Amino acid sequence: MIFLKVAWQNMMKHRRRTALIIFSTGLSVAVILFVAGMVEGFKVNFFRNMLQQSGHLQLLPQGQEEALNPYDLELLLDNPDELVEAVQQRDGIKTAEKILTFGAMLLAEEKNLTIAGAGTHPDSLFFEKAREGIYAGDFLAEENGLAISRNIAGLLHVELGDPVVVLVEDSSGSPWYMEYPVTGLFETDSRDFDEMYFFINHSQAEELLYIPGQTREIRVLLDDKEKAPYLADNLTGRPPFQDACEIKEWHEIHGSYLVLLRMFDVFIVFINIFTIIVAATVITNSILMNIFERAREHGTLRAIGMKRSQIFGLIMTEGFLQGLAGSLLGLMIGIPLVLYFQAYGMNWGAITESFGVGRTFNFAFSPQYAFSSLAAGVLIACGGSLYAGLISVRMSIMDSLRAV
């Protein structure tokens, strides 16, 4: 207790130096927490966007994985409604939807654009980004209509209500076209997504491609993504799935991305180590300057009878108090920042868009990271005090008294 009282008095006596140490520690902790929230947010957004569009399970036609043409109309699922109903009877299923993707060309007067089409449903969860990005009209509210992005509308020089011709090669191998009005315009935070697809109702896509009662794939969302491997094994080889389709769970679908994420985790470890080293350097330097400035004071205390161990204990106590105060200050700065960017996101432009998380992504706050940052700040301050304390107590009384 006496160390706490004396340490507190010394901190009040040297307010400027104490304030500098507390500020250095607080800034370091805020940076550590900010980086942790940004990295965790990137990973959370990456998984959410990746799995929200692809699903946790995909039911694909046999041979789809080896197909040279992903839009080959000979690779389709027959009786998809029966498969969807069988999947939805399982526990833990959030939704199972038919998705019909195909290659097409959009024509509007003298403009044309080659693009992929997606036959889906007005309330599809897999293209929720497009549904929520609607700024004019509705997302497939009308049976005979299509939804395109602002970018595509600009390239074709069309607006809401204008007709667009969709040209495809149907299941017979013949060119076929139908005209649809633009009934929905959307814009998301990802230019790549906006220019990837246009959307029509699944029934219209079946009619356009002349494949009644068929679809390209069935995507499934689960309440818990970790149950995907178990459900895939449970469905494979059982009626009506045997010989009708291949079942892929998200680990298989996104295997290359998962490898990239593991590499990213290793990279983040080095980023964190570098951040901690920089923080430790700044904090330790401030503590060393504080201790060296008070060398004569410590020499006087030893001259009147205070032991080396007591001087060392006093230095460590001051370091702990300064580290704790600075870490709490860092949390007061860092937590509101992380929560703000968790709510409103940060725009990184094309840097993050190339990773599939859009131009803007939200941070993620974790109490675990807050506690880790607090502990890191205190430990760094104590480590700096340990180093400074060892140097101080190794000095002789005469050297300490002669210090300037």
Side-chain angles (χ1 to χ4, degrees):
M1 184 61 69
I2 187 65
F3 279 156
L4 290 175
K5 290 182 179 180
V6 176
W8 178 257
Q9 290 174 355
N10 286 336
M11 289 170 60
M12 292 298 99
K13 180 180 177 181
H14 304 279
R15 288 186 177 89
R16 293 181 60 183
R17 185 60 63 187
T18 298
L20 177 60
I21 295 173
I22 291 176
F23 176 76
S24 301
T25 306
L27 184 61
S28 301
V29 169
V31 170
I32 293 172
L33 183 58
F34 184 85
V35 172
M38 179 178 64
V39 171
E40 187 65 18
F42 180 86
K43 293 173 66 176
V44 169
N45 281 265
F46 184 84
F47 270 105
R48 183 176 63 243
N49 290 349
M50 180 175 66
L51 298 181
Q52 183 66 41
Q53 185 171 335
S54 69
H56 301 130
L57 287 178
Q58 288 185 1
L59 278 63
L60 304 170
Q62 297 285 351
Q64 175 71 32
E65 194 173 30
E66 294 79 21
L68 297 178
N69 178 13
Y71 301 129
D72 189 344
L73 293 180
E74 294 184 1
L75 297 173
L76 297 171
L77 293 175
D78 298 319
N79 302 318
D81 292 329
E82 180 184 358
L83 298 177
V84 168
E85 183 179 357
V87 170
Q88 289 178 334
Q89 291 176 356
R90 304 282 175 158
D91 294 333
I93 302 298
K94 189 174 182 179
T95 186
E97 298 177 15
K98 300 181 295 183
I99 305 293
L100 179 52
T101 54
F102 56 93
M105 178 178 289
L106 300 182
L107 301 97
E109 297 183 354
E110 298 180 355
K111 304 291 182 179
N112 63 79
L113 177 67
T114 301
I115 191 174
T120 184
H121 308 282
D123 56 350
S124 173
L125 294 182
F126 295 101
F127 299 106
E128 191 172 19
K129 182 184 292 189
R131 289 198 299 110
E132 294 180 349
I134 289 288
Y135 67 89
D138 297 295
F139 184 76
L140 307 183
E142 299 181 22
E143 180 69 20
N144 186 26
L146 57 82
I148 59 176
S149 70
R150 183 193 295 269
N151 292 343
I152 295 175
L155 291 172
L156 294 177
H157 293 176
V158 296
E159 299 178 353
L160 190 69
D162 289 346
V164 172
V165 174
V166 180
L167 175 64
V168 299
E169 181 180 312
D170 65 18
S171 59
S172 67
S174 303
W176 183 250
Y177 66 89
M178 294 185 68
E179 185 178 86
Y180 301 92
V182 176
T183 56
L185 294 171
F186 65 87
E187 183 177 30
T188 72
D189 64 346
S190 173
R191 184 183 182 91
D192 291 341
F193 179 86
D194 289 354
E195 296 179 354
M196 184 179 298
Y197 292 115
F198 71 91
F199 301 96
I200 63 175
N201 275 285
H202 195 282
S203 58
Q204 289 295 313
E206 293 178 41
E207 180 182 351
L208 175 66
L209 299 171
Y210 195 57
I211 50 171
Q214 295 179 294
T215 194
R216 174 77 59 195
E217 61 186 289
I218 296 173
R219 298 182 188 178
V220 183
L221 276 179
L222 308 180
D223 294 329
D224 181 3
K225 70 177 186 295
E226 300 304 329
K227 296 181 179 178
Y230 168 78
L231 183 59
D233 291 339
N234 189 260
L235 296 178
T236 301
R238 300 191 177 186
F241 306 100
Q242 77 279 14
D243 301 326
C245 62
E246 296 178 357
I247 301 176
K248 301 290 184 182
E249 48 96 9
W250 63 274
H251 292 92
E252 299 175 277
I253 300 169
H254 302 293
S256 58
Y257 286 111
L258 295 179
V259 172
L260 178 63
L261 276 181
R262 293 190 185 98
M263 295 176 61
F264 184 73
D265 286 338
V266 174
F267 174 72
I268 292 305
V269 169
F270 285 103
I271 292 286
N272 289 336
I273 292 175
F274 176 77
T275 304
I276 291 174
I277 290 175
V278 172
T281 302
V282 173
I283 295 171
T284 302
N285 185 59
S286 299
I287 293 174
L288 281 172
M289 292 174 64
N290 182 41
I291 297 302
F292 289 155
E293 286 179 357
R294 295 164 54 193
R296 295 183 65 183
E297 177 184 328
H298 292 157
T300 303
L301 291 174
R302 287 179 58 195
I304 62 175
M306 185 173 281
K307 298 178 181 179
R308 293 176 185 266
S309 59
Q310 292 175 318
I311 295 291
F312 181 78
L314 181 60
I315 293 174
M316 289 299 298
T317 303
E318 287 185 32
F320 173 77
L321 293 177
Q322 291 164 346
L324 181 60
S327 297
L328 292 174
L329 175 64
L331 293 185
M332 293 173 61
I333 297 172
I335 290 177
L337 278 175
V338 173
L339 291 178
Y340 174 83
F341 288 113
Q342 179 175 270
Y344 300 102
M346 177 180 283
N347 192 324
W348 286 74
I351 297 177
T352 54
E353 187 177 358
S354 61
F355 287 96
V357 296
R359 291 187 291 270
T360 301
F361 77 91
N362 300 82
F363 285 29
F365 173 75
S366 169
Q368 178 184 351
Y369 283 121
F371 178 79
S372 300
S373 301
L374 174 67
V378 174
L379 290 175
I380 290 172
C382 288
S385 298
L386 175 64
Y387 178 63
L390 290 174
I391 293 178
S392 179
V393 298
R394 286 175 181 174
M395 296 174 66
S396 67
I397 294 177
M398 294 306 297
D399 288 339
S400 299
L401 292 174
R402 282 197 297 264
V404 178

